[in-house]
Amino acid sequence: MSGEVILKSHDIVKHFGQTHALNGISVEIHRGEIIGLIGENGSGKSTFSSIISGVYPPTSGSLELKGQPYKPTNPLDAQKHGISMVTQEMGTLPGIKVADNIFLGREEMFTQHGIVNRKQMYEAAKKAMEKVGITDIKPDAPISNYGLEDRKLIEVVRAIYNDPEIFIVDETTTALSQKGRDIIYRLIRKFCDENKAVIFISHDLEEIMEVCSQLIVLRDGDFIEQLPKSEFEEERIKELMVGRKLTGSYYRSDYDGSFSDEVVLKAEKIWKSHTLEDISLELHKGEILGIGGLTDCGMHDLGKILFGIEKPLIGKVTLGDGTEISNPKVAINHKIGYVSKNRDQEALILSASIMENTVLPSMSLISKGGLIFKSAEKKFTQEQIKGMSIKCREMSQDVRDLSGGNKQKVVFGKWLGNKSEIFILDCPTRGIDIGVKAFMYQLMYQLKQEGKSIIMISEELPELIGMSDKIMIMKDGKVQKTFDRSEKLSESLLIKEMV
């Protein structure tokens, strides 16, 4: 350990109704350390960090900050004590400007006689963003002008504005491109150099092992082990996380990239302003077609066009029978399911229950004579909860209360319940743990074997190589090259076409 203890937890317990999220966590956080907090979905990582940052009170147990009792009443109170967190969920407020989001709850800094000095606030926001290397976001622009990554970086600026002594980063890097990640990495190393502390939560083991100086492993709400950098070893960390030795590969072990000649979905000469140029593709029955590239290559826009969420400037998307996919309703009615990269904003209604989310695309399947009976909804949802092994208290539980992996299972479950034949999966394993990833890969391979068709858009090269029958690499809105499944295929071959 490189520095004095800054934060100590004593036997922290947290219950949500019948769910025991934490079972007596006692750990020490030292100055000058970047602590990786790891574990599978539902292990208690986010709950523990949320207690430290004032989001939840513990059911029992206590915290000590710099040798004094610490009981934060809310996140603003935690910030006053020098603890800030950037959460996994989207934390910016829509409908207001960038600067208002940065100084949310701190407007009094710019207020005189009850009037906010907007010019002063914009100037302060501009300086705060420039300090972390952000120069292309305007402080006086509406937050809605910016995408997921920029909004996440605005949250980071807000979190570190008061120069906290403990900075908690909860699954933030999964929403960022390399440029955004570099900003985060630079910041957390600066905190470390300044003898402060960082708690870093990520499902990316390679990232965790590279960035962190200590690891705290949680499993099912229990403290398992704290490891120094010298003891980082990937297989051992995985074993500590899941409680058993992981054998075999996550991915397909076969190199048979065959599929039916039958075309089930076709995109013809798709153009979209500044994003896509002359994209054509065919998806066959029983095929997993991987689409990869850098974040801004256009592949995420292509996924939305294939499902009918966005319209191309030129070109069209059709099914094998010639039906044009003009909007999501047509897609859903023709048994196409879509898993968005931006799960919480586009794939789920967070304030709705598991059941309400699950049955949404399948109303026509479970209705009788135009009527939908609660008993049918419950039976339908129970089937998906059981089939997808969703960990939850009850089907009436709000989706927002689930872990990332269980949220993703709800998204998959609703399309499986609708008996989808074609799946468009945009970053399907983003922000989920190794156990759920393995489950998803097995599910995808099973769907392929059943003759279902999958388009998998992914920023993870091992995933593309490990699961796809064919890989289409995109660059600057164009198809750069297509690769067939092969044991000779390597990440370096794909990267060469991406950059």
Side-chain angles (χ1 to χ4, degrees), residues 90 92 98 129 134 136-137 143 145-157 175-177 179-180 183:
M90 185 53 65
T92 51
V98 168
M129 289 190 287
I134 301 168
D136 52 354
I137 297 176
I143 196 83
N145 285 11
Y146 297 99
L148 176 67
E149 177 172 1
D150 286 336
R151 295 201 302 275
K152 188 53 72 177
L153 290 173
I154 289 162
E155 286 180 59
V156 171
V157 174
L176 303 177
S177 66
K179 177 189 164 192
I183 288 173

Side-chain angles (χ1 to χ4, degrees), residues 227-288:
L227 301 172
K229 185 104 175 174
S230 59
E231 293 180 28
F232 288 8
E233 198 277 308
E234 188 171 340
E235 291 310 311
R236 185 180 174 215
I237 293 167
K238 286 179 181 178
E239 193 176 333
L240 289 170
M241 286 167 65
V242 301
R244 65 185 188 280
K245 210 169 187 66
L246 287 169
T247 55
S249 171
Y250 287 157
Y251 308 117
R252 292 166 56 181
S253 56
D254 71 296
Y255 289 98
D256 173 17
S258 63
F259 42 80
S260 166
D261 291 336
E262 183 187 339
V263 174
V264 294
L265 187 73
K266 185 192 287 188
E268 298 174 86
K269 299 189 175 298
I270 300 293
W271 288 74
K272 188 188 173 198
S273 298
H274 313 298
T275 313
L276 298 170
E277 290 185 32
D278 199 25
I279 301 286
S280 295
L281 64 82
E282 287 185 345
L283 176 68
H284 298 79
K285 187 178 173 66
E287 178 184 13
I288 300 177

Side-chain angles (χ1 to χ4, degrees), residues 331-375:
I332 293 166
N333 288 343
H334 287 83
K335 303 302 177 190
I336 301 178
Y338 172 68
V339 174
S340 167
K341 177 187 177 184
N342 188 1
R343 179 180 59 223
D344 289 353
Q345 269 66 50
E346 296 175 354
L348 292 167
I349 304 169
L350 294 181
S351 57
S353 69
I354 295 167
M355 184 169 78
E356 287 164 332
N357 274 278
T358 301
V359 302
L360 201 57
S362 306
M363 293 299 192
S364 60
L365 283 180
I366 56 178
S367 64
K368 287 185 179 178
L371 297 174
I372 297 169
F373 295 96
K374 191 62 75 177
S375 58

Side-chain angles (χ1 to χ4, degrees), residues 30-93:
H30 290 244
R31 287 186 179 277
E33 296 281 358
I34 302 169
I35 310 288
L37 190 57
I38 64 168
E40 292 197 279
N41 287 113
S43 62
K45 308 181 298 294
S46 292
T47 302
F48 184 61
S49 57
S50 293
I51 287 170
I52 295 169
S53 60
V55 177
Y56 305 128
T59 302
S60 63
S62 62
L63 294 169
E64 207 176 285
L65 181 64
K66 294 185 280 191
Q68 299 297 315
Y70 168 61
K71 290 183 179 179
T73 52
N74 55 51
L76 277 176
D77 185 33
Q79 284 177 17
K80 285 173 186 169
H81 283 86
I83 298 178
S84 281
M85 178 165 83
V86 182
T87 62
Q88 182 179 359
E89 319 299 350
M90 185 53 65
T92 51
L93 285 184

Side-chain angles (χ1 to χ4, degrees), residues 103 105-112 116-117 120 124 161-162:
F103 296 112
R106 293 182 284 212
E107 294 83 357
E108 72 279 355
M109 293 167 54
F110 311 100
T111 304
Q112 278 189 319
V116 175
N117 185 327
Q120 195 182 11
Y161 185 77
N162 279 353

